[in-house]
Amino acid sequence: MSPWRRHCFRTTLCLGVTMVTFTSVILATPATPPTPAPKAATSIPNIERDRRDLISMLQKKIPTVAPDEWSFGSSAFTPGLAVVALGGNNATNVNDILAIGKKAWERKFRNGNSLASCFPNGGQRVAANYPQVDLKSGTLATLEDAINACLVLHQEDPFRLDDSLTMGAVSAYLRSLSAGQKQNIRIVNPATVQHYESGRRWYARRIGEADLACASCHILQAGQTRIEAGQTVGLSAAVGQPLAWPRIESGGQVRLLHQQFQRCMERIGAAPFELGSLEHKQIEYFLSAVSNGLTIRGPIAAPAPTPAPTTMPWSSAHP
């Protein structure tokens, strides 16, 4: 087991013994697949209570960063890093990708329609409401699902989820149209509650050779730093975590949120779920719901971490 895994595992055990809040329940979750919650088991007010309790606990752990800043993800917690707003002078790769995405967004299909024609207001402000649950079928759909559904509806080929210059660029552009809006996920019926509860259980489930949950690092150790490739990188908080994606990396590579989920799973020695899997969608839905009311940042340039002090010990996990 690598040094950071050993450190995170030891710290998680210590914290798990003493915490009797939302996270102590999370770390007590057995390493078994989540099952759908009974329809009457969870009420809508309990979900809002989850959000408030989680924010309250995180505020005590990271009092120097305002909750609305948590939606910058790891950038908000990386020492010495000034977050670059969308369109900033050193976000050239972001602007290039958005230009590619805009062109694809407005491209006319063979039947004369376009991706823009599938969404209200040409896509303005729609990302704030995703992921969404279809109230009739109970199907959970991400923004990327909605993009591909539009393409299929108009007899166009769907985009691959791992293609930076199609799905990556279009998803980045569409999310940029909601930058500055407040996240607004509606938990309104048993189907939405079930997806939320399943996502929470996946977020709490210990997996991999390190026996860690997403919550082990992004709740218990949110705001701390770790060292990766000789750089100091901040550790994002669960609340706000999905609101600054996709990330656009050096060279213009676009990394979707679900690709980051896969990266995290690999880091703890777990076999990652497939891109577009229901498990990933449910995790995103849970994170999006507990991030309600925070500002959507839209795609940002992946942070260039600051050099780590030579005396800094190994820290815990992943951004």
Side-chain angles (χ1 to χ4, degrees):
M1 185 181 293
S2 67
W4 73 262
R5 285 178 183 163
R6 288 197 297 269
H7 177 91
C8 191
F9 184 53
R10 289 196 301 270
T11 308
T12 299
L13 284 178
C14 295
L15 289 171
V17 170
T18 58
M19 300 198 87
V20 291
T21 60
F22 184 85
T23 50
S24 63
V25 175
I26 281 177
L27 292 182
T29 302
T32 56
T35 55
K39 291 183 178 180
T42 303
S43 64
I44 306 303
N46 284 347
I47 294 174
E48 176 58 21
R49 185 186 64 195
D50 283 351
R51 190 184 71 83
R52 291 195 307 267
D53 289 350
L54 189 50
I55 289 175
S56 177
M57 192 202 71
L58 287 169
Q59 282 182 301
K60 294 175 182 177
K61 296 176 66 64
I62 42 179
T64 60
V65 181
D68 198 49
E69 296 296 302
W70 301 346
S71 58
F72 280 113
S74 59
S75 301
F77 305 102
T78 299
L81 179 69
V83 174
V84 179
L86 191 65
N89 290 333
N90 61 343
T92 303
N93 287 331
V94 174
N95 294 331
D96 290 345
I97 288 295
L98 293 181
I100 294 170
K102 184 175 187 292
K103 184 176 181 179
W105 184 255
E106 296 174 346
R107 178 184 67 86
K108 297 296 183 182
F109 301 148
R110 290 184 293 269
N111 64 8
N113 291 295
S114 67
L115 281 166
S117 68
C118 283
F119 293 82
N121 303 314
Q124 295 282 344
R125 301 180 297 279
V126 301
N129 304 312
Y130 277 87
Q132 282 187 1
V133 176
D134 183 273
L135 298 183
K136 291 184 178 179
S137 67
T139 301
L140 177 61
T142 64
L143 198 61
E144 289 74 25
D145 288 331
I147 291 168
N148 272 343
C150 175
L151 291 169
V152 171
L153 176 66
H154 293 287
Q155 299 182 326
E156 300 284 324
D157 292 333
F159 296 146
R160 287 175 53 95
L161 293 175
D162 60 355
D163 190 332
S164 284
L165 296 182
T166 55
M167 181 59 83
V170 169
S171 176
Y173 175 71
L174 179 51
R175 291 179 189 276
S176 76
L177 298 180
S178 289
Q181 301 294 313
K182 300 297 184 181
Q183 182 73 6
N184 183 32
I185 300 298
R186 300 178 63 213
I187 309 291
V188 295
N189 70 357
T192 57
V193 173
Q194 180 174 314
H195 285 301
Y196 170 90
E197 289 293 344
S198 293
R200 182 171 68 167
R201 282 191 287 272
W202 279 120
Y203 204 74
R205 183 188 174 197
R206 300 187 307 273
I207 58 175
E209 67 178 45
D211 193 35
L212 294 173
C214 305
S216 305
C217 297
H218 295 291
I219 294 179
L220 288 183
Q221 299 186 63
Q224 295 186 24
T225 58
R226 67 183 179 86
I227 297 175
E228 180 180 286
Q231 305 292 322
T232 302
V233 181
L235 188 60
S236 61
V239 176
Q241 202 167 27
L243 304 187
W245 289 85
R247 289 294 172 91
I248 299 174
E249 301 176 320
S250 178
Q253 181 72 21
V254 181
R255 180 161 32 107
L256 300 180
L257 180 62
H258 291 191
Q259 290 175 304
Q260 179 64 21
F261 290 165
Q262 288 186 322
R263 177 181 288 188
C264 290
M265 293 181 73
E266 289 170 350
R267 283 172 171 164
I268 62 174
F273 300 129
E274 293 184 5
L275 288 178
S277 67
L278 178 60
E279 294 90 348
H280 279 158
K281 293 177 187 180
Q282 289 175 332
I283 293 171
E284 181 183 352
Y285 191 62
F286 163 71
L287 291 173
S288 298
V290 296
S291 301
N292 271 351
L294 271 65
T295 301
I296 296 173
R297 305 299 173 179
I300 63 173
T306 56
T310 56
T311 57
M312 181 171 286
W314 282 94
S315 187
S316 51
H318 43 86

